[in-house]
Amino acid sequence: MDFDAMFNAQLDALKEEGNYRIFAELERECGAFPQARSHDADAPDKVTVWCSNDYLGMGQNEVVRQAMKDAIDRCGTGAGGTRNISGTARHHVALEHELADLHGKEAALLFTSGYVSNWAALSTLGARLPDAVILSDALNHASMIEGMRHARCQKVIWKHNDPEDLDRKLAALPANAPKIVAFESVYSMDGDICPMEEIVEVAEKHGAMTYLDEVHAVGLYGPRGGGVSEERGLAHRIDLIEGTLGKAYGCVGGYITGSAALCDFIRSFASGFIFTTALPPAVAAAAQASIRHLKTSDAERRQQRRQVAQLRAKLDARGIPHLDNPSHIIPVMIKDPVKCRQLADILMRDYGIYVQPINYPTVPKGTERLRFTPGPLHTDADIDHLVEALTVLWKQCAIAHAVA
C-alpha cells in the first residue's frame, strides 16, 4: 500500500483550500527582539516579528537569561527523566511555590506545556470523578477539547461567554453529579475576555467546580501578573487556574494551581504528568525569575498597553478592519484563506514584516485573519511601518474595510 500517496492526497487538498501551513525559518537574536534573522530565500535577512506570544519580550530579559545560565552551570541541562524516577529538582519545587503564590492558591503542579497541562488535568478530572460532567465554553482551546475527549465523561457545550446559557445547562443536570465549568479568560483568536464574575456566580450557584485557562493573560493582567482573575479580584473563587510559562513569561512549560488536594490528585493520576520527562531545571529557574520580576515590575505591561493602543488607533485612522476587544490581541480580518496567505507572504517578502496567517481549523472558515500582538519592544517606527504596509496592500487587494 502506498502510504505516501495517501498522505500527499490530503496535503494537496489542504493546499488547494489555502489552509496548508508554511513555517518561516527565523532566528531570534538576543537583545534585538522583535527583530529576527530570516533564513528564507524569498525574505529579507532581517524581519520584524508581529505575531509572537512572547508578549512582553521576557525571553530577552537579562534577569531571566542570567537565571537560566546560572542554573545550567549548577545543574546541567536536562532533568534526566520524570520527576517520579529522576527526582524532583529544587528548581521545580521553587517554581511551583512561586506559581501558587501568584494565584493565591495552596499548591501548583508543573507540566511540559500549557497544552499538556490542560489535556492532563481535564482528562484526569473527567475520568476519575464518578459521573462527572464537564461544561465547556464553545470556543475553548484545542488542548481543553482534547482533555475532555480523553476523559470519556459526559460533556456539555455552552454558548461562548454566555453565563445565562451556562446556567440553563447546569440546571438541567443531576444535582449530585460532579460538574466542572471549563472556560478561558482571554480567547486568543478574537481577543475577547470572558464575563468572569458572572460565570463564577453561576458555577457557585450550582455547586460546580471552576476550571479557568489563563494562558493568554498570566503576566499581562493584574497588579502582579496573576491574570484576569487577579485583575478582577476573583482568583480566590476559582478552583483551578491553569497557565503557561511559554508566552508572557518567555520560557516554556505549563501548570495548574489550586488546593493541595487537587494538585496532588492530578499529580497522582494524570498520565500526562506521570510518564513525561520533567522540565529542565534551568527552564524552571528562568521561569521563576520571570514570574518574580513581573510580580513587581509593571513597566513592561504599561509599555505594551501603550503600543497596543497606538496600533489600534492608527489602524482605525486608515480604515483597516480589526476586531474591537479589550485585550492585547489585534486580529485584522481578511476572511479568505488564499488572500490571507498572500498578504502574509507579501508583508514578509516586500516589507520585512512577519505575521502568520490564521486559517481553518484554528478559526472557522470565512474568519481568516492576520493576528498582531504588539509588545513593549516594538518601536513607534515599527508600528508606522506596519500600518503603511497594510494601507498599501489594502488598496491593492481591495479588501472590504469592514468587520462583519
Side-chain angles (χ1 to χ4, degrees), residues 325-363:
N325 64 54
S327 78
H328 58 284
I329 294 165
I330 304 179
V332 171
M333 305 306 291
I334 311 300
K335 304 180 182 179
D336 178 276
V338 176
K339 246 177 206 180
C340 200
R341 176 79 260 172
Q342 288 174 342
L343 282 170
D345 289 344
I346 295 169
L347 284 168
M348 184 76 151
R349 184 191 68 215
D350 296 348
Y351 296 93
I353 291 168
Y354 172 63
V355 59
Q356 183 70 0
I358 307 294
N359 292 346
Y360 178 85
T362 305
V363 295

Side-chain angles (χ1 to χ4, degrees), residues 14 20 38 41 57 63 86 100 110 112 160 178 208 218 232-233 261 278 291 295 298 324 330-331 340 345 365-366 381:
L14 201 62
Y20 181 74
S38 172
V63 172
S86 294
L110 288 173
T112 49
H160 178 55
V218 290
R232 299 185 180 178
I291 294 163
K295 282 180 176 178
D298 199 40
D324 184 23
I330 304 179
C340 200
D345 289 344
K365 291 180 180 179

Side-chain angles (χ1 to χ4, degrees), residues 65 91 95 104 124 234 299-300 315 390:
R65 291 189 286 114
H91 292 96
L95 176 53
T124 303
L234 294 167
E300 294 83 2
L315 291 174
L390 287 173

